[in-house]
Amino acid sequence: EVQLVESGGGLIQPGGSLRLSCAASGFTVSSTYISWVRQAPGKGLEWVSLTYSGRSTSYADSVKGRFTISRDDSKNTLFLQMNSLRVEDTAVYYCARVQAYGGNSYGFEIWGQGTMVTVSS
Amino acid sequence: SYELTQPPSVSVSPGQTASITCSGDTLGDEYASWYQQKPGQSPMLVIYQDTKRPSGIPERFSGSNSGNTATLTISGTQAMDEADYYCQAWDSSTVVFGGGTKLTVL
């Protein structure tokens, strides 16, 4: 069964750091596009970061320079290292597998259950 | 930065057709996807590549994309379709989501 399970969320003070994990099963993270998407309480979806085509990465402007996406192929796990956390980073963080359909067509087809990050003093 | 605009809410009567729009500059030149999210659940892909349905998505869900607007259409809307819907597109190597539309089935 294809599955993503996030972990690592919690309560952290502003300026602190946290590392989220996303364990994949049923497929290999090294062979696909995979992404982090977050959702602040009561708000919409916000794309955070993506890793693709080997080790290429991209980030939303709101997290660039503070967050780092990476993966451990031996553990089939995706990570999101979050530094210099701000109150506005408070959200449920989802990892999602991105399916490439050809051309410039992609879809976030598999989602994890999410992990909550609360940044507060 | 690229933006996608959706109406905050849409209402529809059971059995009727619901249309949710997503507007963005030359959006028709890109592929749009749509996601359904019910309270307390993770989002679920319902339309990709403008018009295609993943396996398991009912035929009543359809999509189109032309000009500056992508549209998600739900024909014969059922109570179970009440949810938040998000459009999504790609801008260079980054991803953009619309602000979301709450579909209410009255």
Side-chain angles (χ1 to χ4, degrees):
Chain A
E1 179 188 9
V2 175
Q3 193 174 10
L4 295 166
V5 178
E6 303 94 335
S7 61
L11 175 64
I12 187 77
Q13 290 189 341
S17 297
L18 206 58
R19 188 176 84 154
L20 305 182
S21 300
C22 172
S25 57
F27 71 99
T28 54
V29 295
S30 61
S31 64
T32 189
Y33 288 40
I34 194 159
S35 183
W36 289 96
V37 177
R38 68 185 181 183
Q39 186 170 36
K43 302 299 184 181
L45 301 176
E46 180 187 15
W47 173 74
V48 174
S49 182
L50 173 75
T51 181
Y52 61 103
S53 300
R55 299 285 178 180
S56 298
T57 59
S58 62
Y59 298 90
D61 288 344
S62 59
V63 306
K64 198 174 295 183
R66 300 187 299 123
F67 291 11
T68 302
I69 191 172
S70 63
R71 64 173 199 256
D72 184 331
D73 294 344
S74 68
K75 296 180 179 178
N76 208 30
T77 298
L78 179 75
F79 301 101
L80 185 68
Q81 177 66 42
M82 304 186 296
N83 298 331
S84 302
L85 281 162
R86 305 167 180 168
V87 171
E88 55 264 35
D89 294 320
T90 295
V92 174
Y93 284 74
Y94 297 99
C95 63
R97 188 180 82 171
V98 181
Q99 178 67 44
Y101 302 109
N104 194 34
S105 174
Y106 305 86
F108 290 68
E109 64 162 9
I110 305 292
W111 295 70
Q113 85 290 348
T115 186
M116 182 70 202
V117 173
T118 303
V119 184
S120 175
S121 55
Chain B
S1 61
Y2 195 70
E3 292 184 359
L4 296 175
T5 302
Q6 299 180 233
S9 62
V10 168
S11 298
V12 64
S13 299
Q16 300 303 302
T17 297
S19 294
I20 299 173
T21 58
C22 174
S23 299
D25 189 37
T26 62
L27 178 57
D29 293 343
E30 307 296 334
Y31 285 118
S33 298
W34 289 91
Y35 303 84
Q36 176 194 70
Q37 187 181 33
K38 296 182 178 179
Q41 296 184 14
S42 301
M44 178 175 67
L45 180 67
V46 295
I47 293 289
Y48 67 94
Q49 207 166 343
D50 294 339
T51 62
K52 299 183 178 179
R53 285 176 290 105
S55 174
I57 301 301
E59 291 185 7
R60 63 180 182 274
F61 287 86
S62 63
S64 64
N65 186 14
S66 180
N68 295 324
T69 303
T71 303
L72 173 69
T73 302
I74 309 172
S75 304
T77 307
Q78 301 182 9
M80 69 172 66
D81 300 328
E82 185 163 287
D84 294 327
Y85 290 85
Y86 297 90
C87 60
Q88 174 259 311
W90 292 71
D91 176 35
S92 300
S93 59
T94 63
V95 177
V96 182
F97 285 97
T101 298
K102 180 176 180 60
L103 177 67
T104 302
V105 183
L106 299 171

